[in-house]
Amino acid sequence: MGTQQGAGKWRQQELGLEAVETRLQALQEYLAVYRASFASSGSADSHARVRVLRRDVSRLRAWGWYLMACRDGARWLPVVQWLARVFSVLVVPQRHRSRRQQRTRTMRHLSSYSLVERAYAAQEDDIQGRLLTLRLAQRQNPNDLRARQIKGLERQVDDVVLLRLAGLPEARQLTVICHLLTWTMALRYCLGLRLPLADVADR
C-alpha cells in the first residue's frame, strides 16, 4: 500500500514539474513577443505586460524549484515549509475586482496559487486532448498498444486532477513558498549561481 502511494505521489510530482515546464515555455514566448513590442513601440501597455510576465515567470520557476526539492528530498525543504506555515498568517488575500475593473486593466496580476493552478489546469486539458484523440482512433482501428496508451493517459488524468484538488498547499502558504524561493533565486543570480529551471525558462 505504501509503495503504491509513494508511486502515485512520485507521478504527481513529475506531472506537476511537467506542467510548470510547459507553462514556463509558453510564458517565455509571450514575454519575448511583448519585449519586442515594447522595444519597437515603447508603449506603456507593452511595458506593463512585460513586468507582469516577468513576475509570473519568476514565481512559477520558484514553484518548479520547490517541486524538484519535494521530489529529491532536499535538506532545506522542511525549513521552507515551516516558514510558509509561520508567515502565511501575514499574507493578505488578493482582493476580487469587479468585472468592469478587470476589463479596464491590460493584464491582471494573478495570485501565486492561481498561477500554479492554471498551469496544472492547462496540463489536464492537454492530457484530456491527447486522450480524446487516442480514443477516437481506437474506435476506428483498435489495437493493444493504443489501449495501453489510453490506460496510461487515463491514469495521468486522475493524477493531475488529484494534484489540483489535494496536492497543493493552502493558498497563503503557497504564496509564501513562491516569494521565499523567488527572493532566494534573486540572491543566487546576484552571486552568479545557476537558477533552477533556467534551461526551460530562458529558451
Side-chain angles (χ1 to χ4, degrees):
M1 186 67 177
T3 303
Q4 291 180 350
Q5 290 179 345
K9 188 174 182 180
W10 182 85
R11 288 198 307 268
Q12 289 178 24
Q13 290 170 347
E14 290 300 308
L15 282 172
L17 273 171
E18 185 180 333
V20 168
E21 291 174 358
T22 302
R23 188 60 180 164
L24 275 174
Q25 290 177 10
L27 290 179
Q28 201 70 18
E29 291 172 5
Y30 296 148
L31 183 56
V33 170
Y34 287 120
R35 275 176 173 165
S37 176
F38 176 65
S40 61
S41 65
S43 70
D45 176 60
S46 296
H47 179 63
R49 289 174 182 265
V50 167
R51 235 181 25 244
V52 171
L53 285 169
R54 287 183 63 184
R55 184 184 176 205
D56 287 350
V57 166
S58 295
R59 289 184 295 160
L60 201 55
R61 182 188 277 170
W63 182 249
W65 189 15
Y66 176 79
L67 291 179
M68 288 190 295
C70 291
R71 181 194 63 187
D72 301 336
R75 294 180 181 178
W76 51 262
L77 186 61
V79 176
V80 170
Q81 293 172 335
W82 179 80
L83 289 172
R85 289 192 296 271
V86 171
F87 289 109
S88 63
V89 297
L90 303 177
V91 176
V92 178
Q94 192 172 25
R95 293 180 179 179
H96 294 285
R97 301 182 179 88
S98 67
R99 291 186 178 181
R100 183 176 180 181
Q101 287 175 314
Q102 290 176 14
R103 285 197 298 268
T104 60
R105 295 178 64 85
T106 57
M107 180 175 286
R108 292 181 58 199
H109 284 272
L110 293 174
S111 69
S112 296
Y113 188 92
S114 297
L115 183 67
V116 173
E117 201 276 336
R118 286 191 180 195
Y120 290 177
Q123 178 78 343
E124 181 183 346
D125 290 342
D126 177 67
I127 297 172
Q128 290 279 19
R130 285 184 281 156
L131 183 57
L132 177 60
T133 300
L134 284 176
R135 282 172 173 168
L136 291 174
Q138 184 71 349
R139 288 178 184 177
Q140 296 174 356
N141 183 26
N143 65 66
D144 293 340
L145 175 59
R146 193 179 294 117
R148 289 194 296 270
Q149 291 174 335
I150 289 173
K151 287 183 179 180
L153 286 178
E154 288 174 342
R155 186 175 59 185
Q156 287 186 21
V157 169
D158 291 340
D159 285 337
V160 77
V161 168
L162 186 60
L163 184 62
R164 290 179 62 193
L165 294 178
L168 289 173
E170 189 268 335
R172 290 182 296 179
Q173 291 185 23
L174 190 149
T175 298
V176 174
I177 289 170
C178 287
H179 280 79
L180 282 174
L181 295 185
T182 297
W183 295 333
T184 304
M185 288 192 302
L187 178 60
R188 287 172 63 95
Y189 179 79
C190 292
L191 296 175
L193 300 174
R194 185 177 180 277
L195 298 179
L197 296 177
D199 55 334
V200 175
D202 295 336
R203 286 175 184 171

